[in-house]
Amino acid sequence: MSDPVYTINDLPRFSPWPARLLGLQPWQNRHKTPQEITREYEHDTYGPLLRRALEAANPVSVEQIDAWWLPSDPCLVSVGSAFQSMQPTTARQQYLDLIESTLQRYLPVTALVELGCGYAGVLLRLARASAFHGLPLYGGEFTSAGVRLALLLAEHQKTPVTVTSFDFTQATRTDLLVPPNALIFTSYATHYVPNMPPDFVRTIASWRPRAVVHFEPFFEHNDANTLLGMMRRRYIEVNDYNRDFLTVLHAQQRAGQIEILDERPAVFGANALLPASIVVWKAA
Ligand SMILES: C[S@@+](CC[C@H](N)C(=O)[O-])C[C@H]1O[C@@H](n2cnc3c(N)ncnc32)[C@H](O)[C@@H]1O
């Protein structure tokens, strides 16, 4: 029997969001302040995960940490212009495979760097892939619980990595020392900054990377003339996710600071209303 064909019309069976966006269920709009990021990640997510990992009798893997927070019910996943029902663990693996295959195109490089890396669940997995094996690894993360958990997991996995505090909005102040010709990426992290300061792009460009690859939901990639595009835009607005990063990147390209190498809208999303696009650039 062939797999059922899903459309966005099926989303209300998987998610409360269509009802919230249509005003049928109560919802209070969010504000992504630094305090709110600290509440969401330091206190409600990474802090408890770190405590659980520290109390565990045996070394903990990134897969175990993922299993502690991933939901168990199937989700409606956005794959290009199609929708599929998947277990969250399957969606996570497909997303990780997409990151790995995309980043491989930019090898060889001097180092692999993830900014907004959380507990380095992506970075530490990439470190095990033969294509990236042995590369110096760097992570930058906003929360101290995220940095501590990343370092603990790296120790358990026996993977040398430098993880330090990093804030997209204070990039000029970072003490991350990234060598030229590194491969830098972000994954579902820059969208936590409602308005991206151009200094972030200028600072990263000054490191002279081989390429910078964003796996991020870009507001500007959603077509305001379609129902799906409208819902995705509204979802980003009510959650106060980023609305200008692509505009900032294009302005930096026009100013001769960077060159955009690739731009692929809405490639994959475990959350059908928040698919990641892929945008790749380098310093001009
Ligand atoms: C959804 S998690 C993604 C983690 C990881 N990149 C991944 O794909 O598994 C979002 C991450 O962005 C980080 N973040 C939020 N605001 C940030 C900021 N201003 N600077 C750096 N990281 C930030 C959060 O602390 C969190 O670790």
Side-chain angles (χ1 to χ4, degrees):
M1 216 172 71
S2 60
D3 288 341
V5 175
Y6 290 93
T7 72
I8 196 64
N9 273 336
D10 295 297
L11 188 57
R13 288 196 285 117
F14 290 86
S15 158
W17 275 102
R20 286 177 183 163
L21 294 179
L22 292 168
L24 304 172
Q25 262 184 30
W27 168 253
Q28 261 214 307
N29 288 5
R30 294 280 154 89
H31 297 286
K32 289 280 178 285
T33 59
Q35 294 75 18
E36 173 61 13
I37 306 296
T38 301
R39 179 202 62 76
E40 181 174 351
Y41 282 102
E42 182 77 32
H43 298 149
D44 292 358
T45 313
Y46 300 150
L49 291 173
L50 175 63
R51 277 194 294 280
R52 200 165 160 184
L54 287 169
E55 284 162 11
N58 297 308
V60 176
S61 65
V62 283
E63 284 80 4
Q64 245 168 317
I65 300 282
D66 285 354
W68 287 347
W69 66 263
L70 274 174
S72 48
D73 290 338
C75 47
L76 191 68
V77 178
S78 166
V79 185
S81 57
F83 296 93
Q84 293 175 19
S85 166
M86 268 180 223
Q87 285 301 324
T89 45
T90 309
R92 176 94 178 141
Q93 190 55 52
Q94 290 199 6
Y95 177 62
L96 292 164
D97 292 346
L98 172 71
I99 293 182
E100 185 179 328
S101 60
T102 306
L103 291 180
Q104 279 195 31
R105 292 184 204 159
Y106 300 95
L107 297 175
V109 295
T110 55
L112 186 61
V113 184
E114 182 180 3
L115 301 174
C117 68
Y119 56 82
V122 178
L123 197 59
L124 289 174
R125 274 197 181 79
L126 289 174
R128 294 188 213 136
S130 56
F132 303 100
H133 197 74
L135 271 180
L137 304 175
Y138 297 84
E141 162 58 25
F142 184 77
T143 60
S144 50
V147 172
R148 284 184 61 198
L149 185 52
L151 292 171
L152 182 73
L153 294 172
E155 193 186 312
H156 287 179
Q157 188 181 298
K158 299 187 174 29
T159 300
V161 57
T162 303
V163 185
T164 184
S165 161
F166 181 85
D167 183 345
F168 295 119
T169 68
Q170 309 281 333
T172 52
R173 297 197 194 159
T174 186
D175 49 15
L176 254 185
L177 285 175
V178 175
N181 282 314
L183 179 54
I184 300 174
F185 73 99
T186 69
S187 152
Y188 280 95
T190 60
H191 75 305
Y192 277 88
V193 178
N195 299 102
M196 187 56 83
D199 265 357
F200 166 63
V201 181
R202 288 195 277 261
T203 303
I204 306 306
S206 75
W207 298 343
R208 310 303 300 174
R210 162 80 180 87
V212 185
V213 186
H214 300 291
F215 302 89
E216 298 283 350
F218 283 95
F219 178 82
E220 300 95 320
H221 276 160
N222 297 309
D223 183 351
N225 294 312
T226 67
L227 184 59
L228 178 59
M230 266 184 183
M231 286 177 60
R232 285 176 170 166
R233 281 181 170 237
R234 194 68 195 133
Y235 180 82
I236 287 176
E237 283 168 355
V238 304
N239 282 287
D240 200 19
Y241 290 136
N242 178 273
R243 271 137 10 238
D244 71 352
F245 189 23
L246 193 63
T247 307
V248 167
L249 287 171
H250 279 271
Q252 292 295 313
Q253 176 164 254
R254 280 196 305 278
Q257 298 281 325
I258 69 168
E259 181 189 346
I260 296 176
L261 304 173
D262 196 9
E263 194 175 325
R264 287 189 275 153
V267 178
F268 186 90
N271 175 348
L273 292 178
L274 198 66
S277 298
I278 298 176
V279 174
V280 187
W281 58 272
K282 66 181 178 83

